[in-house]
Amino acid sequence: MAFKPLIAPSILSADFAHLADQIAEAEQFGADWLHIDVMDGHFVPNLSMGAQIVAACRRVSELPLDVHMMIEKPENFLDAFAEAGADHITVHAEACEDLPQILDSIHSLGCKAGVSIKPATPAAALESALGTADILLVMSVEPGFSGQAFMPEVLPKVAALRASLDALQSKALIEIDGGIDAHTLPLALQAGVNVFVAGSAIFKHPEGIAAGMESLQGAIMEKQQ
Ligand code: DX5
Ligand code: ZN
């Protein structure tokens, strides 16, 4: 694969009392993007963070801020997240009545546009977005919580999306989110994933954030040899 695999630590698993320090450590040890999970208690059964946290991350990091909107009616909040400093805004296909329109709105705010699907949603739900989305985010757990087990049954969907993008000669990236660690990352890389979101494997690694980053980087290097 010509494209360098990227690691996107999910701050949902970080220690919020030390968020700036934890982001700095992930960045120092090679984080490529920062993944920020936005949840509304409706689209998913959990609440997390809003635009204020994105603005706080913007103040302490220059990494691309990769905002994953697990909310209903995401169109109502695009401006606020773009204004807060999001670089990428990813909405869920299941939450969008007019996906192409929402992706256009994200682009017109100067952000890269992503679209995500839950584990049970077929790749066909992304069809209307294949020509426009910059990022296809495949969930490999039910969205809502970090620390869940990876669902390998989504891998054929990843491979099908990779084939569709290649056929279109698209430069869109495939991102995967949920249960990624040094054991599951190689399976996803093999299926054609470009960007690996990881929460627990980095921020809850028993030997610390640096060890978490190194273990994911090691898994990438081993697979690429
Ligand atoms: C879950 C979130 C994920 C989560 C991943 O809905 O979208 O980004 O933080 O956490 P891990 O890597 O622990 O599964
Ligand atoms: Zn996420």
Side-chain angles (χ1 to χ4, degrees):
M1 186 191 305
F3 190 86
K4 171 183 171 277
L6 302 179
I7 299 177
S10 164
I11 63 166
L12 188 61
S13 299
D15 175 355
F16 274 53
H18 301 281
L19 187 56
D21 292 345
Q22 300 227 318
I23 289 172
E25 188 170 352
E27 192 165 348
Q28 185 190 342
F29 284 90
D32 295 290
W33 298 354
L34 272 189
H35 184 82
I36 304 176
D37 288 302
V38 177
M39 304 181 188
D40 66 352
H42 293 279
F43 183 73
V44 290
N46 196 9
L47 288 167
S48 60
M49 46 200 126
Q52 281 171 312
I53 299 284
V54 174
C57 291
R58 183 76 298 155
R59 290 198 294 277
V60 299
S61 176
E62 289 182 4
L63 289 179
L65 300 182
D66 183 48
V67 175
H68 178 192
M69 308 267 269
M70 285 162 277
I71 66 173
E72 287 174 5
K73 300 206 179 301
E75 61 274 18
N76 292 348
F77 294 93
L78 302 177
D79 299 25
F81 282 90
E83 177 111 340
D87 295 283
H88 314 153
I89 299 181
T90 294
V91 295
H92 264 268
E94 303 89 350
C96 296
E97 273 175 32
D98 189 344
L99 183 57
Q101 162 74 46
I102 291 178
L103 297 180
D104 280 353
S105 301
I106 295 171
H107 281 146
S108 66
L109 290 164
C111 298
K112 292 207 186 296
V115 51
S116 182
I117 48 175
K118 296 195 217 183
T121 303
L126 297 177
E127 196 129 318
S128 68
L130 281 188
T132 42
D134 304 292
I135 299 164
L136 306 179
L137 173 55
V138 175
M139 291 305 301
S140 41
V141 297
E142 286 303 331
F145 300 91
S146 56
Q148 303 180 76
F150 180 74
M151 297 170 69
E153 57 268 39
V154 305
L155 292 173
K157 189 163 68 179
V158 170
L161 287 169
R162 167 53 55 211
S164 302
L165 291 177
D166 288 351
L168 292 169
Q169 296 186 303
S170 165
K171 290 201 171 68
L173 300 177
I174 301 182
E175 184 175 16
I176 198 158
D177 185 3
I180 291 294
D181 61 20
H183 303 289
T184 56
L185 185 152
L187 307 173
L189 184 59
Q190 174 82 34
V193 168
N194 308 108
V195 185
F196 301 89
V197 175
S200 314
I202 296 172
F203 292 106
K204 301 233 189 286
H205 190 284
E207 287 151 46
I209 293 169
M213 286 297 303
E214 279 163 7
S215 119
L216 296 180
Q217 285 157 345
I220 291 173
M221 273 164 50
E222 211 168 288
K223 188 78 194 165
Q224 287 187 321
Q225 270 167 10

